[in-house]
Coordinates of all heavy atoms in Angstrom, one line a residue:
M149 N -41.2 19.5 -52.0 CA -39.9 19.2 -52.4 C -39.0 20.5 -52.2 O -37.8 20.3 -51.8 CB -39.8 18.8 -53.9 CG -39.6 17.4 -54.2 SD -38.8 16.4 -53.0 CE -38.1 15.2 -54.0
T150 N -39.5 21.6 -52.5 CA -38.7 22.8 -52.4 C -38.3 23.1 -51.0 O -37.2 23.6 -50.7 CB -39.4 24.0 -53.0 OG1 -40.6 24.2 -52.4 CG2 -39.6 23.8 -54.5
K151 N -39.2 22.8 -50.0 CA -38.9 23.0 -48.6 C -37.7 22.1 -48.2 O -36.9 22.6 -47.4 CB -40.1 22.8 -47.8 CG -41.1 23.9 -47.9 CD -42.2 23.7 -46.8 CE -43.2 24.8 -47.0 NZ -44.2 24.8 -45.9
L152 N -37.7 20.9 -48.6 CA -36.6 20.0 -48.3 C -35.3 20.5 -48.9 O -34.3 20.5 -48.3 CB -36.9 18.6 -48.8 CG -37.9 17.8 -48.1 CD1 -38.2 16.5 -48.8 CD2 -37.5 17.5 -46.7
K153 N -35.4 21.0 -50.1 CA -34.2 21.5 -50.8 C -33.7 22.8 -50.1 O -32.5 22.9 -49.8 CB -34.6 21.9 -52.2 CG -33.4 22.0 -53.1 CD -33.9 22.3 -54.6 CE -32.8 21.7 -55.5 NZ -33.2 21.9 -56.9
E154 N -34.6 23.6 -49.7 CA -34.2 24.9 -48.9 C -33.6 24.5 -47.6 O -32.6 25.1 -47.1 CB -35.4 25.8 -48.7 CG -35.9 26.4 -50.0 CD -37.2 27.2 -49.8 OE1 -37.7 27.3 -48.7 OE2 -37.7 27.7 -50.8
A155 N -34.2 23.5 -46.9 CA -33.7 23.1 -45.6 C -32.3 22.5 -45.7 O -31.5 22.7 -44.9 CB -34.7 22.1 -45.0
K156 N -32.1 21.7 -46.8 CA -30.8 21.1 -47.0 C -29.8 22.2 -47.3 O -28.7 22.1 -46.8 CB -30.9 20.2 -48.2 CG -29.6 19.5 -48.5 CD -29.7 18.6 -49.7 CE -28.4 18.0 -50.1 NZ -28.4 17.2 -51.3
E157 N -30.1 23.2 -48.1 CA -29.2 24.3 -48.4 C -28.9 25.1 -47.2 O -27.7 25.5 -47.0 CB -29.8 25.2 -49.5 CG -29.8 24.5 -50.9 CD -30.6 25.3 -51.9 OE1 -31.1 26.4 -51.6 OE2 -30.6 24.9 -53.1
E158 N -29.9 25.3 -46.4 CA -29.7 26.1 -45.1 C -28.7 25.3 -44.2 O -27.8 25.8 -43.6 CB -31.0 26.4 -44.4 CG -30.8 27.2 -43.2 CD -32.1 27.6 -42.6 OE1 -33.2 27.5 -43.2 OE2 -32.1 28.0 -41.4
A159 N -29.0 24.0 -44.1 CA -28.2 23.1 -43.2 C -26.7 23.1 -43.7 O -25.8 23.2 -43.0 CB -28.7 21.7 -43.2
E160 N -26.5 23.1 -45.1 CA -25.2 23.1 -45.6 C -24.5 24.4 -45.3 O -23.3 24.4 -45.1 CB -25.2 22.8 -47.1 CG -25.6 21.4 -47.5 CD -25.8 21.1 -48.9 OE1 -25.8 22.1 -49.7 OE2 -25.9 19.9 -49.3
R161 N -25.2 25.5 -45.4 CA -24.6 26.8 -45.1 C -24.2 26.9 -43.6 O -23.1 27.3 -43.3 CB -25.6 27.9 -45.4 CG -25.7 28.4 -46.8 CD -26.5 29.7 -47.0 NE -27.8 29.6 -46.4 CZ -28.9 29.2 -47.1 NH1 -28.8 28.9 -48.4 NH2 -30.1 29.2 -46.5
E162 N -25.1 26.3 -42.7 CA -24.8 26.3 -41.3 C -23.5 25.5 -41.0 O -22.7 25.8 -40.2 CB -26.0 25.9 -40.5 CG -27.1 26.9 -40.4 CD -28.3 26.3 -39.7 OE1 -28.3 25.2 -39.1 OE2 -29.3 27.1 -39.7
I163 N -23.5 24.3 -41.7 CA -22.3 23.4 -41.5 C -21.1 24.1 -42.0 O -20.0 24.1 -41.3 CB -22.6 22.1 -42.3 CG1 -23.7 21.3 -41.5 CG2 -21.3 21.3 -42.4 CD1 -24.1 20.1 -42.3
A164 N -21.1 24.8 -43.2 CA -20.0 25.5 -43.7 C -19.5 26.6 -42.7 O -18.3 26.8 -42.5 CB -20.3 26.0 -45.1
E165 N -20.5 27.3 -42.2 CA -20.2 28.4 -41.2 C -19.5 27.8 -40.0 O -18.5 28.3 -39.5 CB -21.4 29.1 -40.9 CG -21.2 30.3 -40.0 CD -22.5 31.1 -39.6 OE1 -23.3 31.2 -40.5 OE2 -22.6 31.5 -38.5
F166 N -20.1 26.7 -39.5 CA -19.5 26.1 -38.3 C -18.1 25.6 -38.5 O -17.2 25.7 -37.7 CB -20.4 24.9 -37.9 CG -19.9 24.1 -36.7 CD1 -20.0 24.7 -35.4 CD2 -19.4 22.9 -36.8 CE1 -19.6 24.0 -34.3 CE2 -18.9 22.2 -35.7 CZ -19.0 22.8 -34.5
R167 N -17.9 24.9 -39.7 CA -16.6 24.5 -40.0 C -15.6 25.6 -40.1 O -14.4 25.5 -39.7 CB -16.6 23.7 -41.4 CG -17.1 22.3 -41.3 CD -16.9 21.6 -42.6 NE -17.4 20.2 -42.5 CZ -17.9 19.5 -43.4 NH1 -18.0 20.0 -44.6 NH2 -18.3 18.3 -43.2
A168 N -16.0 26.7 -40.7 CA -15.1 27.9 -40.8 C -14.7 28.4 -39.4 O -13.6 28.7 -39.1 CB -15.8 29.0 -41.6
Q169 N -15.7 28.4 -38.5 CA -15.5 28.9 -37.1 C -14.5 27.9 -36.4 O -13.6 28.4 -35.7 CB -16.8 29.0 -36.3 CG -17.7 30.1 -36.7 CD -19.0 30.0 -36.0 OE1 -19.3 29.1 -35.3 NE2 -19.9 31.0 -36.3
M170 N -14.7 26.6 -36.6 CA -13.8 25.7 -36.0 C -12.4 25.7 -36.6 O -11.4 25.6 -35.8 CB -14.4 24.2 -36.1 CG -15.7 24.0 -35.4 SD -15.7 24.5 -33.7 CE -14.7 23.2 -33.0
E171 N -12.3 26.0 -37.8 CA -11.0 26.1 -38.5 C -10.3 27.3 -37.9 O -9.1 27.3 -37.6 CB -11.2 26.2 -40.0 CG -9.8 26.3 -40.7 CD -9.0 25.1 -40.7 OE1 -9.5 24.0 -40.4 OE2 -7.7 25.3 -40.8
V172 N -11.0 28.4 -37.7 CA -10.3 29.6 -37.2 C -9.9 29.3 -35.8 O -8.7 29.7 -35.4 CB -11.3 30.8 -37.2 CG1 -10.8 32.0 -36.3 CG2 -11.6 31.3 -38.6
A173 N -10.7 28.7 -35.0 CA -10.3 28.4 -33.6 C -9.1 27.4 -33.6 O -8.2 27.6 -32.8 CB -11.5 27.7 -32.8
F174 N -9.1 26.4 -34.5 CA -8.0 25.5 -34.6 C -6.7 26.2 -35.0 O -5.6 26.0 -34.4 CB -8.3 24.4 -35.6 CG -7.2 23.5 -35.9 CD1 -6.8 22.6 -34.9 CD2 -6.4 23.6 -37.1 CE1 -5.7 21.7 -35.2 CE2 -5.4 22.7 -37.3 CZ -5.0 21.8 -36.4
Q175 N -6.8 27.1 -36.0 CA -5.6 27.9 -36.4 C -5.1 28.7 -35.3 O -3.8 28.9 -35.1 CB -5.9 28.7 -37.6 CG -6.2 27.9 -38.9 CD -5.0 27.0 -39.3 OE1 -3.9 27.3 -39.0 NE2 -5.3 25.8 -39.9
R176 N -6.0 29.3 -34.5 CA -5.6 30.1 -33.3 C -4.8 29.3 -32.3 O -3.8 29.7 -31.8 CB -6.8 30.8 -32.7 CG -6.4 31.8 -31.7 CD -7.7 32.5 -31.1 NE -8.7 32.8 -32.1 CZ -10.0 32.5 -32.0 NH1 -10.4 31.8 -30.9 NH2 -10.8 32.7 -32.9
K177 N -5.4 28.1 -32.0 CA -4.7 27.2 -31.1 C -3.3 26.8 -31.6 O -2.4 26.7 -30.8 CB -5.6 25.9 -30.8 CG -6.7 26.2 -30.0 CD -6.3 26.2 -28.5 CE -7.5 26.1 -27.7 NZ -7.2 26.2 -26.3
V178 N -3.2 26.5 -32.9 CA -1.9 26.1 -33.4 C -0.9 27.2 -33.3 O 0.2 27.0 -32.9 CB -2.1 25.6 -34.9 CG1 -0.8 25.5 -35.6 CG2 -2.9 24.3 -35.0
A179 N -1.4 28.4 -33.6 CA -0.5 29.6 -33.5 C 0.0 29.8 -32.0 O 1.1 30.1 -31.8 CB -1.2 30.8 -34.0
E180 N -1.0 29.6 -31.1 CA -0.6 29.8 -29.7 C 0.3 28.8 -29.2 O 1.3 29.0 -28.5 CB -1.9 29.8 -28.8 CG -2.8 31.0 -29.0 CD -4.1 30.8 -28.2 OE1 -4.3 29.8 -27.6 OE2 -4.9 31.8 -28.3
S181 N 0.1 27.5 -29.6 CA 1.0 26.4 -29.1 C 2.3 26.5 -29.8 O 3.4 26.2 -29.1 CB 0.3 25.1 -29.4 OG 0.2 24.8 -30.8
S182 N 2.4 26.9 -31.0 CA 3.8 27.0 -31.6 C 4.5 28.2 -31.0 O 5.8 28.1 -30.9 CB 3.6 27.2 -33.1 OG 3.1 28.5 -33.4
G183 N 3.9 29.2 -30.6 CA 4.5 30.3 -29.9 C 5.1 29.8 -28.5 O 6.1 30.2 -28.1
D184 N 4.3 29.0 -27.9 CA 4.7 28.4 -26.6 C 5.9 27.5 -26.7 O 6.8 27.5 -25.9 CB 3.6 27.6 -25.9 CG 2.4 28.5 -25.4 OD1 2.7 29.7 -25.2 OD2 1.4 28.0 -25.2
S185 N 6.0 26.8 -27.8 CA 7.1 25.9 -28.0 C 8.4 26.7 -28.1 O 9.4 26.2 -27.7 CB 6.9 25.0 -29.2 OG 6.9 25.7 -30.4
G186 N 8.3 27.8 -28.8 CA 9.5 28.7 -28.8 C 9.9 29.2 -27.5 O 11.1 29.2 -27.1
A187 N 9.0 29.5 -26.6 CA 9.3 29.9 -25.3 C 9.8 28.8 -24.5 O 10.8 28.9 -23.7 CB 8.0 30.5 -24.6
N188 N 9.3 27.6 -24.7 CA 9.8 26.4 -24.0 C 11.2 26.1 -24.4 O 12.0 25.7 -23.5 CB 8.8 25.2 -24.3 CG 7.5 25.3 -23.5 OD1 7.4 26.0 -22.5 ND2 6.5 24.6 -24.1
V189 N 11.5 26.2 -25.7 CA 12.8 25.9 -26.1 C 13.8 26.9 -25.5 O 14.9 26.5 -25.0 CB 12.9 26.0 -27.7 CG1 14.4 26.0 -28.2 CG2 12.1 24.9 -28.3
K190 N 13.4 28.1 -25.4 CA 14.3 29.1 -24.8 C 14.5 28.9 -23.4 O 15.6 28.9 -22.8 CB 13.7 30.5 -25.0 CG 14.7 31.6 -24.6 CD 14.2 33.0 -25.0 CE 15.2 34.0 -24.6 NZ 15.4 35.0 -25.6
R191 N 13.4 28.5 -22.7 CA 13.5 28.2 -21.2 C 14.4 27.0 -21.0 O 15.3 27.0 -20.1 CB 12.1 27.9 -20.7 CG 12.1 27.6 -19.2 CD 10.7 27.2 -18.7 NE 10.1 26.2 -19.4 CZ 10.3 24.9 -19.2 NH1 11.2 24.5 -18.3 NH2 9.7 24.0 -20.0
L192 N 14.3 25.9 -21.8 CA 15.1 24.7 -21.7 C 16.5 25.0 -22.0 O 17.4 24.5 -21.3 CB 14.6 23.6 -22.6 CG 13.3 23.0 -22.2 CD1 12.8 22.0 -23.3 CD2 13.4 22.3 -20.9
E193 N 16.8 25.9 -23.0 CA 18.2 26.2 -23.2 C 18.8 27.0 -22.1 O 20.0 26.7 -21.7 CB 18.3 27.1 -24.5 CG 18.0 26.3 -25.8 CD 18.0 27.2 -27.0 OE1 17.9 28.5 -26.9 OE2 18.0 26.7 -28.1
Q194 N 18.1 27.9 -21.4 CA 18.6 28.6 -20.3 C 18.8 27.6 -19.1 O 19.9 27.7 -18.4 CB 17.6 29.7 -19.9 CG 17.5 30.8 -20.8 CD 16.4 31.8 -20.5 OE1 15.5 31.5 -19.7 NE2 16.5 33.0 -21.0
E195 N 17.9 26.7 -18.9 CA 18.1 25.7 -17.8 C 19.3 24.9 -18.1 O 20.1 24.6 -17.2 CB 16.9 24.9 -17.7 CG 15.7 25.5 -17.0 CD 14.5 24.6 -17.0 OE1 14.6 23.4 -17.2 OE2 13.4 25.1 -16.6
T196 N 19.5 24.5 -19.3 CA 20.6 23.6 -19.7 C 21.9 24.4 -19.5 O 22.9 23.8 -18.9 CB 20.5 23.1 -21.1 OG1 19.3 22.4 -21.3 CG2 21.7 22.3 -21.5
E197 N 22.0 25.6 -19.9 CA 23.2 26.4 -19.7 C 23.5 26.6 -18.2 O 24.7 26.5 -17.8 CB 23.0 27.8 -20.4 CG 23.1 27.7 -21.9 CD 24.4 27.2 -22.4 OE1 25.5 27.6 -21.9 OE2 24.4 26.5 -23.4
G198 N 22.5 26.8 -17.4 CA 22.7 26.9 -16.0 C 23.2 25.7 -15.4 O 24.1 25.7 -14.5
K199 N 22.7 24.5 -15.8 CA 23.2 23.2 -15.3 C 24.6 22.9 -15.7 O 25.4 22.4 -14.9 CB 22.2 22.1 -15.7 CG 20.9 22.1 -15.0 CD 20.0 21.1 -15.5 CE 18.6 21.2 -14.8 NZ 17.7 20.2 -15.2
I200 N 24.9 23.3 -17.0 CA 26.3 23.1 -17.5 C 27.2 23.9 -16.7 O 28.3 23.5 -16.2 CB 26.4 23.4 -19.0 CG1 25.6 22.3 -19.8 CG2 27.8 23.5 -19.4 CD1 25.5 22.6 -21.2
H201 N 26.9 25.2 -16.4 CA 27.7 26.1 -15.6 C 27.9 25.5 -14.2 O 29.1 25.5 -13.7 CB 27.1 27.5 -15.6 CG 27.9 28.4 -14.8 ND1 29.1 28.9 -15.1 CD2 27.6 29.0 -13.5 CE1 29.5 29.8 -14.2 NE2 28.7 29.8 -13.2
H202 N 26.9 25.0 -13.6 CA 26.9 24.5 -12.3 C 27.9 23.3 -12.3 O 28.7 23.1 -11.4 CB 25.6 24.1 -11.8 CG 25.6 23.3 -10.5 ND1 25.8 24.0 -9.3 CD2 25.4 22.0 -10.2 CE1 25.8 23.1 -8.3 NE2 25.5 21.9 -8.8
L203 N 27.8 22.4 -13.2 CA 28.6 21.2 -13.3 C 30.1 21.6 -13.5 O 31.0 21.0 -12.9 CB 28.2 20.2 -14.4 CG 26.8 19.5 -14.2 CD1 26.4 18.8 -15.4 CD2 27.0 18.6 -13.0
K204 N 30.3 22.6 -14.4 CA 31.7 23.0 -14.6 C 32.3 23.6 -13.3 O 33.5 23.3 -13.0 CB 31.8 24.0 -15.7 CG 31.6 23.4 -17.1 CD 31.7 24.4 -18.2 CE 31.6 23.8 -19.6 NZ 31.7 24.8 -20.6
T205 N 31.5 24.3 -12.6 CA 32.0 24.9 -11.3 C 32.3 23.9 -10.3 O 33.3 23.9 -9.7 CB 30.9 25.9 -10.8 OG1 30.6 26.9 -11.7 CG2 31.4 26.6 -9.5
E206 N 31.4 22.9 -10.2 CA 31.6 21.8 -9.3 C 32.9 21.0 -9.7 O 33.7 20.6 -8.8 CB 30.4 20.8 -9.2 CG 29.2 21.4 -8.6 CD 29.4 21.6 -7.1 OE1 29.9 20.7 -6.4 OE2 29.0 22.7 -6.6
A207 N 33.1 20.7 -11.0 CA 34.2 19.9 -11.4 C 35.5 20.7 -11.2 O 36.5 20.1 -10.8 CB 34.1 19.7 -12.9
T208 N 35.5 22.0 -11.4 CA 36.7 22.8 -11.1 C 37.0 22.7 -9.6 O 38.2 22.6 -9.3 CB 36.4 24.3 -11.5 OG1 36.1 24.3 -12.9 CG2 37.7 25.1 -11.3
G209 N 36.0 22.7 -8.8 CA 36.3 22.7 -7.3 C 36.9 21.4 -6.8 O 37.6 21.4 -5.9
I210 N 36.5 20.3 -7.4 CA 37.0 19.0 -6.9 C 38.1 18.4 -7.8 O 38.6 17.3 -7.4 CB 35.8 18.0 -6.7 CG1 35.1 17.7 -8.0 CG2 34.8 18.5 -5.7 CD1 34.2 16.6 -7.9
S211 N 38.4 18.9 -8.9 CA 39.3 18.3 -9.8 C 40.7 18.1 -9.2 O 41.3 17.0 -9.4 CB 39.4 19.1 -11.1 OG 40.0 20.3 -10.9
H212 N 41.2 19.0 -8.5 CA 42.5 18.9 -7.8 C 42.5 17.7 -6.9 O 43.4 16.9 -6.9 CB 42.9 20.2 -7.1 CG 44.2 20.2 -6.4 ND1 45.4 20.1 -7.2 CD2 44.5 20.1 -5.1 CE1 46.4 20.0 -6.3 NE2 45.9 20.0 -5.1
S213 N 41.5 17.6 -6.0 CA 41.5 16.5 -5.1 C 41.3 15.1 -5.8 O 41.9 14.2 -5.3 CB 40.4 16.7 -4.0 OG 39.1 16.7 -4.7
V214 N 40.6 15.1 -6.9 CA 40.4 13.9 -7.6 C 41.8 13.5 -8.3 O 42.2 12.3 -8.2 CB 39.4 14.0 -8.7 CG1 39.4 12.8 -9.7 CG2 38.0 14.1 -8.1
V215 N 42.5 14.4 -8.8 CA 43.8 14.1 -9.4 C 44.8 13.6 -8.3 O 45.5 12.7 -8.5 CB 44.4 15.4 -10.1 CG1 45.8 15.2 -10.5 CG2 43.5 15.7 -11.3
Q216 N 44.7 14.3 -7.2 CA 45.6 13.8 -6.1 C 45.3 12.4 -5.6 O 46.2 11.6 -5.4 CB 45.5 14.8 -4.9 CG 46.1 16.2 -5.1 CD 47.5 16.1 -5.5 OE1 48.3 15.4 -5.0 NE2 47.9 16.9 -6.6
M217 N 44.0 12.1 -5.5 CA 43.6 10.7 -5.1 C 44.1 9.7 -6.2 O 44.6 8.7 -5.8 CB 42.1 10.7 -5.0 CG 41.6 9.3 -4.6 SD 39.9 8.9 -4.9 CE 39.7 9.3 -6.7
L218 N 43.9 10.0 -7.4 CA 44.3 9.1 -8.5 C 45.8 8.9 -8.5 O 46.3 7.8 -8.6 CB 43.9 9.6 -9.9 CG 42.4 9.6 -10.2 CD1 42.0 10.3 -11.5 CD2 41.9 8.1 -10.2
L219 N 46.6 10.0 -8.3 CA 48.0 9.9 -8.2 C 48.4 9.0 -7.0 O 49.4 8.2 -7.1 CB 48.7 11.2 -8.1 CG 48.7 12.0 -9.4 CD1 49.3 13.4 -9.1 CD2 49.6 11.3 -10.4
R220 N 47.8 9.1 -5.9 CA 48.1 8.3 -4.7 C 47.8 6.8 -5.0 O 48.6 6.0 -4.7 CB 47.2 8.7 -3.5 CG 47.9 9.7 -2.6 CD 47.2 9.9 -1.3 NE 45.8 9.9 -1.3 CZ 45.0 11.0 -1.5 NH1 45.6 12.2 -1.6 NH2 43.7 10.9 -1.5
Q221 N 46.7 6.6 -5.7 CA 46.3 5.2 -6.0 C 47.3 4.6 -7.0 O 47.7 3.4 -6.9 CB 44.9 5.1 -6.6 CG 43.8 5.5 -5.6 CD 43.8 4.5 -4.4 OE1 43.9 3.3 -4.6 NE2 43.6 5.0 -3.2
V222 N 47.7 5.4 -8.0 CA 48.6 4.9 -9.0 C 50.0 4.7 -8.5 O 50.7 3.7 -8.9 CB 48.6 5.8 -10.2 CG1 49.7 5.5 -11.2 CG2 47.2 5.8 -10.9
T223 N 50.4 5.6 -7.6 CA 51.8 5.5 -7.2 C 52.0 4.6 -5.9 O 53.2 4.4 -5.5 CB 52.4 6.9 -6.9 OG1 51.5 7.5 -5.9 CG2 52.4 7.7 -8.2
T224 N 51.0 4.2 -5.3 CA 51.1 3.3 -4.1 C 51.3 1.9 -4.6 O 50.6 1.3 -5.4 CB 49.8 3.4 -3.3 OG1 49.6 4.7 -2.9 CG2 50.0 2.5 -2.1
V225 N 52.4 1.3 -4.1 CA 52.7 -0.1 -4.4 C 52.2 -1.0 -3.3 O 52.5 -0.8 -2.1 CB 54.3 -0.3 -4.6 CG1 54.6 -1.7 -4.9 CG2 54.8 0.7 -5.6
K226 N 51.4 -2.0 -3.7 CA 50.9 -2.9 -2.7 C 51.5 -4.3 -3.0 O 51.6 -4.7 -4.1 CB 49.3 -3.0 -2.8 CG 48.7 -1.7 -2.4 CD 47.2 -1.8 -2.3 CE 46.6 -0.5 -1.9 NZ 45.2 -0.5 -1.8
N227 N 51.8 -5.0 -1.9 CA 52.3 -6.3 -2.1 C 51.2 -7.3 -2.2 O 50.3 -7.5 -1.6 CB 53.2 -6.7 -0.9 CG 54.5 -5.8 -0.9 OD1 54.8 -5.3 -2.0 ND2 55.1 -5.7 0.2

């Protein structure tokens, strides 16, 4: 009976050690992925700002011609 008890205790120690190792690995992965999400957020913000700037530049370039077209359409009388 004592051998079974010793084997059980040893198995429980090994399981506890394995769980501790897995927990450390898990916490490391969580820390790495949360750090990446911050980098991803920053990258997405930069991309968004770049796209907004591009759209504003394009809008500025064509706004005069759009206004002229709209004025022509509004002021033209058709029978």
Side-chain angles (χ1 to χ4, degrees):
M149 256 333 206
T150 58
K151 285 188 179 187
L152 285 175
K153 197 176 209 179
E154 289 174 5
K156 181 181 176 188
E157 290 173 357
E158 184 178 343
E160 288 174 351
R161 278 193 304 269
E162 288 177 6
I163 290 170
E165 183 179 324
F166 178 75
R167 281 188 179 151
Q169 290 172 354
M170 296 308 292
E171 181 66 24
V172 168
F174 174 74
Q175 293 300 331
R176 189 177 321 126
K177 285 281 190 184
V178 167
E180 288 172 0
S181 67
S182 67
D184 288 342
S185 68
N188 287 336
V189 168
K190 187 169 183 138
R191 180 184 53 82
L192 288 173
E193 286 175 349
Q194 289 174 342
E195 287 178 10
T196 302
E197 288 297 322
K199 289 178 182 179
I200 289 171
H201 177 71
H202 174 72
L203 289 172
K204 284 182 179 180
T205 303
E206 291 292 316
T208 302
I210 63 170
S211 65
H212 180 70
S213 61
V214 170
V215 169
Q216 292 302 316
M217 179 201 56
L218 288 172
L219 284 174
R220 268 194 316 273
Q221 293 296 321
V222 170
T223 57
T224 302
V225 178
K226 293 186 179 179
N227 292 337

